[in-house]
């Protein structure tokens, strides 16, 4: 199954997402901040990245811009995840290079549909 990198600083969100995705057969990797997510994506590019936008240090907006500027990670789809969905955040995420946008708390069926669409139907059942 495809590898999904979760870049999330909140332990409860990381645990919930990783368990639910692993249960569906995904290979899940976890980064706790933007710097670690960037390093992990560069060293072993995943099939898809779930990027929290509110991260300490290097935030999700800048981490995504850097990922999309690098040849080795440019084509990796990124779904922005944020609990602070304000007017214009979706557009801001797309402008930063995200391929899609979703809000927290995560609606798993909706998120899985987005993952499936970005992975071209390679998502787990």
């Amino acid at each position: 199954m495809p590898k999904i990198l979760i870049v999330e600083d909140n332990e409860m969100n990381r645990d919930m997402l990783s368990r639910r995705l692993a249960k569906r057969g995904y290979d899940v990797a976890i980064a706790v901040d933007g710097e670690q997510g960037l390093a992990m994506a560069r060293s072993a590019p995943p099939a898809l990245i779930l990027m929290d936008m509110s991260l300490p240090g290097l935030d999700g907006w800048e981490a995504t811009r850097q990922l999309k500027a690098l040849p080795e990670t440019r084509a990796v789809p990124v779904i922005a995840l944020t609990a602070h969905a304000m007017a214009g955040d979706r557009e801001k995420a797309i402008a930063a290079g995200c391929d899609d946008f979703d809000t927290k708390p995560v609606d798993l069926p909706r998120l899985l549909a987005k993952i499936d669409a970005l992975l071209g139907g390679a998502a787990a059942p």
Side-chain angles (χ1 to χ4, degrees):
M1 284 307 295
K3 179 168 114 180
I4 295 178
L5 173 60
I6 298 169
V7 185
E8 169 66 62
D9 63 324
N10 181 286
E11 185 177 358
M12 287 177 34
N13 289 340
R14 283 193 311 264
D15 183 55
M16 181 275 301
L17 269 175
S18 64
R19 282 188 297 109
R20 292 171 88 181
L21 291 172
K23 187 186 276 189
R24 283 162 178 75
Y26 289 103
D27 178 15
V28 178
I30 296 173
V32 299
D33 60 34
E35 291 283 347
Q36 186 182 30
L38 188 58
M40 290 174 72
R42 289 185 75 186
S43 66
L48 183 135
I49 298 170
L50 296 176
M51 179 73 72
D52 179 19
M53 303 317 281
S54 300
L55 295 167
L58 183 68
D59 67 21
W61 310 105
E62 183 57 29
T64 300
R65 280 191 278 283
Q66 290 186 32
L67 286 166
K68 293 300 185 169
L70 297 168
E72 64 269 30
T73 55
R74 181 175 295 133
V76 176
V78 177
I79 298 177
L81 294 177
T82 184
H84 307 291
M86 308 293 277
D89 276 355
R90 184 180 204 296
E91 293 75 19
K92 184 178 173 185
I94 300 302
C98 293
D99 299 274
D100 209 336
F101 178 87
D102 210 351
T103 56
K104 296 181 210 171
V106 170
D107 175 319
L108 193 63
R110 182 181 65 212
L111 182 60
L112 288 172
K114 291 178 181 207
I115 291 170
D116 188 48
L118 288 168
L119 294 180

